[in-house]
Amino acid sequence: MGLVKYPHMEKNIDKQLEVIKRGTVEIIQPDELRKKLERAVKENRPLVIKAGFDPTAPDIHLGHTVLLRKMRHFQDLGHDVVFLIGDFTGLVGDPTGVSKTRPRLTREAVKENAMTYEKQVSKVLDINRLRVVFNSDWFDKMTPYQLAELAAKQTVARVLERDDFAKRYKSGQDISFLEFLYPLFQSYDSVELKSDIELGGSDQKFNMLMGRTIQERYGQEPQVVLTMPLLEGLDGVNKMSKSLGNYVGINENAKDMFGKLMSLSDDMMFKYYELLTDEDVAKIKGDVASGALHPKAAKMALAKNIVAQYHSADEPARQAEEFDRAFKDKAFPQDAEQVDIRIDELEAPLIWVLCASGLATSNGDAKRKILEGAVEINSEKIKEINVSLKCAQTYQIRLGKKFKKVTLK
């Protein structure tokens, strides 16, 4: 697919910069960005905005949408946004932040993962105004001579400046030649696309800066690098991750999405507002600080906003009403999930039931929640960890903001 042109590009440079800068960690270099924007408006030529994705994790959560939303901002400003699927670099595996060599994906696995992207990102990006490319289109055609030419564009010393490579090298851990070439491969994508701006998480800064260097060594104007923050998960500490269980998936049902967002701390709520909505964060902070807006009301507005982005128009109000009914009125949700658990004895320990039903992530988590007073059974708060539940009965169990009807059989 060729360059995507739009009927209207935002002509106000300051307005463009205001939208672009929102939520960013760093822009390298700001003066170059302004010059590129001015030239784009003058020549009526959209800038090429590159964002690369290695197809290794196809389940998209809100942490991923921080970058996707910034891509959407560029689309709405009238620029040519390129969704680069690294089906070739995905076979290599990005070594960023890892302490040992990653297992390589098969080409079949990479292709299968890549196929899931378009459907998911369509919830954030305008697919009709998106250029999707695969870097195997040029790497599959690269000759050994061209590969040698690319390798000659950078030095070993420069690549070893990467913190993760440096640590592994000093500790004597293996670094494969393939991993060593990864930053070069990713940089060469910018050469092929002639990208004006590359977007990525702050953990990708080294790779994107190398793109600037490699572009210059191929005689191109260097891209501007724009880094986005890594969104903390619901725990407010660790980066949002499915493996840590602190995530909100964009394909989750509205009820789970709303409930998870209502569990955010007040401080994290404002960061979510900034990175996941287009609302006026300064005004919301001011209203909360002055008492004009209660923190819970602000959080509920946030949850409704995000649910509305991924579900039907009537879901936000319905989930807000259900949430109020469940927590304000202390009523057990009528549509709480039903879970049937088979046991071999006449009774089962509550701690085990909490884990088996998915309410708790581990025995330690279950014990901690009980001692914190976060567990209720049939509207009665449980304070002892050595509690057992009887077979052939159904229990209404609440753990914090999670509810389930559990039947032991």
Side-chain angles (χ1 to χ4, degrees):
M1 186 184 298
L3 186 71
V4 179
K5 291 194 174 183
Y6 307 93
H8 304 290
M9 184 191 299
E10 174 59 58
K11 299 297 191 293
N12 187 319
I13 302 299
D14 290 331
K15 173 68 178 297
Q16 286 208 50
L17 288 170
E18 179 184 351
V19 173
I20 292 169
K21 289 179 179 179
R22 175 172 174 141
T24 60
V25 174
E26 191 173 8
I27 296 176
I28 307 167
Q29 300 279 349
D31 56 331
E32 293 179 19
L33 174 60
R34 177 175 280 275
K35 289 178 181 177
K36 285 178 181 285
L37 292 171
E38 289 173 346
R39 186 172 64 223
V41 170
K42 181 179 179 181
E43 300 176 358
N44 194 29
R45 182 190 70 83
L47 296 180
V48 177
I49 315 300
K50 168 198 172 190
F53 297 82
D54 278 344
T56 53
D59 292 329
I60 294 178
H61 54 60
L62 292 183
H64 299 123
T65 68
V66 173
L67 180 58
L68 295 174
R69 283 180 52 80
K70 185 55 62 180
M71 293 169 68
R72 180 57 186 258
H73 288 163
F74 277 103
Q75 282 190 318
D76 292 343
L77 291 172
H79 296 292
D80 177 25
V81 175
V82 181
F83 190 97
L84 172 67
I85 295 180
D87 58 331
F88 177 84
T89 43
L91 296 173
V92 178
D94 184 1
T96 302
V98 301
S99 59
K100 60 183 180 180
T101 301
R102 282 178 169 171
R104 293 182 62 202
L105 289 173
T106 64
R107 187 176 288 270
E108 291 72 24
V110 168
K111 183 177 180 181
E112 183 178 345
N113 288 342
M115 290 175 64
T116 69
Y117 268 113
E118 185 170 339
K119 181 178 180 181
Q120 294 186 72
V121 302
S122 65
K123 294 186 176 184
V124 182
L125 300 171
D126 184 342
I127 293 297
N128 296 321
R129 296 189 297 163
L130 183 68
R131 185 151 58 110
V132 180
V133 299
F134 296 79
N135 62 9
S136 62
D137 288 348
W138 45 86
F139 282 118
D140 281 354
K141 300 171 186 175
M142 183 174 278
T143 66
Y145 177 84
Q146 290 172 317
L147 178 59
E149 184 182 27
L150 172 59
K153 301 292 186 185
Q154 193 52 276
T155 66
V156 170
R158 181 71 180 94
V159 177
L160 280 176
E161 289 178 8
R162 277 182 55 144
D163 184 58
D164 42 16
F165 277 169
K167 288 179 180 177
R168 288 166 64 181
Y169 182 75
K170 289 178 181 178
S171 65
Q173 295 185 52
D174 287 340
I175 305 174
S176 74
F177 278 114
L178 206 52
E179 288 179 287
F180 213 68
L181 288 171
Y182 184 91
L184 281 175
F185 289 147
Q186 181 170 322
S187 300
Y188 187 74
D189 291 338
S190 296
V191 174
E192 283 286 336
L193 294 171
K194 296 181 174 60
S195 63
D196 293 299
I197 301 173
E198 181 168 10
L199 313 179
S202 55
D203 59 340
Q204 291 292 322
K205 180 179 176 180
F206 180 95
N207 291 339
M208 293 191 291
L209 287 177
M210 188 171 288
R212 284 173 58 87
T213 301
I214 299 303
Q215 279 183 305
E216 285 189 294
R217 290 177 182 174
Y218 274 93
Q220 294 183 9
E221 179 181 282
Q223 63 190 13
V224 168
V225 169
L226 190 154
T227 62
M228 298 300 297
L230 304 178
L231 183 70
E232 291 88 351
L234 299 172
D235 56 8
V237 177
N238 299 297
K239 181 179 77 169
M240 185 174 286
S241 167
K242 189 171 183 179
S243 62
L244 295 176
N246 64 353
Y247 72 104
V248 180
I250 66 171
N251 290 321
E252 290 191 47
N253 64 61
K255 178 181 175 62
D256 288 344
M257 183 179 285
F258 195 96
K260 285 184 175 182
L261 290 167
M262 289 301 295
S263 72
L264 282 171
S265 68
D266 291 350
D267 288 339
M268 282 303 301
M269 168 181 68
F270 294 119
K271 186 167 187 179
Y272 276 50
Y273 258 117
E274 180 177 28
L275 298 177
L276 303 177
T277 79
D278 294 324
E279 298 298 317
D280 186 339
V281 183
K283 183 179 186 307
I284 295 170
K285 282 185 175 180
D287 288 346
V288 170
S290 69
L293 180 65
H294 193 280
K296 181 186 175 184
K299 196 177 301 181
M300 186 165 285
L302 170 67
K304 290 169 71 174
N305 183 302
I306 295 176
V307 168
Q309 294 178 41
Y310 303 102
H311 293 281
S312 60
D314 62 334
E315 281 293 355
R318 192 169 78 85
Q319 296 306 324
E321 182 181 349
E322 174 65 18
F323 185 89
D324 266 343
R325 194 184 73 81
F327 295 98
K328 182 179 179 180
D329 301 333
K330 300 299 182 182
F332 197 86
Q334 296 177 352
D335 61 347
E337 180 184 355
Q338 172 68 47
V339 178
D340 295 334
I341 302 175
R342 294 192 176 279
I343 61 176
D344 297 328
E345 306 293 337
L346 295 177
E347 295 182 342
L350 173 59
I351 290 173
W352 179 87
V353 171
L354 292 176
C355 294
S357 64
L359 287 165
T361 57
S362 65
N363 287 346
D365 179 44
K367 290 179 182 178
R368 183 168 58 255
K369 295 299 184 183
I370 292 172
L371 294 175
E372 290 173 354
V375 177
E376 292 182 4
I377 298 179
N378 298 337
S379 300
E380 181 180 346
K381 185 167 293 187
I382 304 301
K383 300 180 180 180
E384 300 291 334
I385 60 175
N386 297 319
V387 172
S388 293
L389 304 184
K390 295 181 179 181
C391 184
Q393 291 194 32
T394 297
Y395 299 89
Q396 293 184 341
I397 303 179
R398 170 184 176 181
L399 192 156
K401 295 179 174 63
K402 295 187 287 187
F403 298 82
K404 289 191 179 181
K405 298 176 184 176
V406 179
T407 300
L408 301 183
K409 296 183 176 181

